[in-house]
Amino acid sequence: MIRRTASLPARKPRSGGEPEGSRTALRLTAAVMASLLAGAAFAQAPKIDPWPGLVTDIFHDRPIAAHEGVVALQAPVRAEDAAIVPMTITLVDPAVRKATLVIDENPMPMAAAFTIGEGAAVASIETRVRVNSYTNVHVVAETADGALHSVVKFVKASGGCSAPAIKDQDEAAANLGKMKFRRFSSADPARREAQIMIRHPNNSGLQMDPISRAYIPAHFIDRVEVRQGDALIFSMEGGISLSEDPAFRFSYKPNGARTIRVEAHDNEGGVFSGEWPVDDAS
């Protein structure tokens, strides 16, 4: 069988101009150059700093002084795992009554706001957070006179809010709200150091189910209260920036109570509680 091949007639160049193919190539080249220039301009555009807006949204435009003598923040320069980035807040000034941890570039920047119980003399709180992109991390401390003081660290990490859960979702559901309390030796006999760990997936709403490819609904711890007896050591209001299985290690001044009590709430109405004896309470 003879296969016939149709041939298109060659286009004649317009009189006095370049061939059509050359003009098309020139237009494509111009478009590519325009696109590259636009991309370069976008890359060179100054990035908008979210902090001024966060000061308005979270702190209602109250003046905030930079002052490391009141509060300090320890955070890694480059995180090993963006889904579990350790943060240590040190309350240098005993007059601090509240400390708010803000991860500027996260989808929900206010990671945790800690309110310190009167007389608890909390000196430090450690926790683990998700970091979604390279970002400043602020801690703003409020002292008893209502003044705000901040410190800031820059952390290199990305993808923490959408990182897959470490634990299987069924396993997480089976252990939802289980708590563990640990005590640590303290160099200061007048103080104690302890840790609370809460089993909870703390789903961010940005994670994808690997099987269904659907986003897992946000489900996270949003409130925690830690007490010695009936007296508050600290409370926490938080969101999706807290890592899976939220944990809080803290040092405090004992008041003679014989128990440590914890109550935690999540955004779906879950309430979880635990109580542990403190056998050497003073």
Side-chain angles (χ1 to χ4, degrees), residues 189-202:
R191 303 191 61 80
R192 293 206 178 109
E193 189 168 340
Q195 183 181 46
I196 299 293
M197 293 174 284
I198 305 170
R199 299 289 297 273
H200 200 288
N202 245 42

Side-chain angles (χ1 to χ4, degrees), residues 21-40:
S22 298
R23 286 197 297 275
T24 301
L26 288 173
R27 285 197 293 270
L28 287 173
T29 301
V32 169
M33 291 300 297
S35 176
L36 291 174
L37 290 173

Side-chain angles (χ1 to χ4, degrees), residues 12 39 142 186-187 196 242 247 249 260 263:
K12 294 181 180 179
E142 180 174 344
S186 174
I196 299 293
L242 288 177
R249 180 166 174 165
I260 292 289
E263 183 171 291

Side-chain angles (χ1 to χ4, degrees), residues 29 41 53 118 125 175 189 245:
T29 301
E118 187 174 356
I125 301 176
N175 294 291
D245 294 336

